[in-house]
Amino acid sequence: MRKVIFAESTPNAVGPYSDAVRVGNLLVCGGQGPLDPITSEVYRGEFEEEVRITMNNLKRSVEEGGSSMSQLVKVNVYITDINNFDRFNQVYAEFFPDPTNVPTRVLCQVAGLWGGINVEVEALAYVAD
């Protein structure tokens, strides 16, 4: 079974892609960034708030796909300045209160991201039936 998910609670896509695709018990979530979920406007401000908005958008996408943040298997993070690594981790940890149940993760610096955003996050999640 393959189901394409266009989440109503996340910002509108800026291209031809969906928020997530569910195949069996695997949920593949596309990249989320610091966009307002109602207006789709890019947030311009403190890096920590960019991360928080991004992670909340990911959380909504994961939940609309039938999973939860506690069921994430892998997270890929793209930031434009590796010097923000510790600042990213501080906010990221808020979304995983149980330090014994955290997903695997890759975080890398990239030359740039769409719209001048400073962070983008994508994930794989398990969907329990």
Side-chain angles (χ1 to χ4, degrees):
M1 170 188 91
R2 181 178 183 271
K3 180 180 179 186
V4 177
I5 297 159
F6 293 97
E8 291 184 23
S9 64
T10 60
N12 294 328
V14 295
Y17 57 88
S18 62
D19 287 295
V21 175
R22 180 176 173 182
V23 180
N25 291 85
L26 180 65
L27 181 68
V28 182
C29 298
Q32 292 288 341
L35 281 75
D36 183 286
I38 296 169
T39 66
S40 294
E41 295 288 323
V42 174
Y43 171 80
R44 306 282 182 205
E46 291 295 317
F47 180 75
E48 287 82 357
E49 190 60 18
E50 281 192 58
V51 175
R52 196 167 284 110
I53 292 167
T54 298
M55 292 300 295
N56 276 316
N57 285 338
L58 177 66
K59 182 176 188 271
R60 284 189 284 276
S61 179
V62 167
E63 289 173 352
E64 289 205 32
S67 191
S68 67
M69 296 296 277
S70 66
Q71 295 295 314
L72 290 182
V73 176
K74 182 173 185 195
V75 175
N76 293 334
V77 179
Y78 310 98
I79 59 176
T80 57
D81 184 352
I82 200 68
N83 292 312
N84 285 327
F85 180 82
D86 291 334
R87 294 170 71 191
F88 177 86
N89 279 336
Q90 285 183 316
V91 177
Y92 182 83
E94 295 171 10
F95 291 84
F96 303 99
D98 179 357
T100 66
N101 182 29
V102 293
T104 63
R105 188 182 85 186
V106 171
L107 184 148
C108 60
Q109 178 175 307
V110 295
L113 293 165
W114 172 88
I117 63 176
N118 295 305
V119 61
E120 185 170 350
V121 180
E122 63 178 341
L124 296 175
Y126 176 76
V127 181
D129 285 328

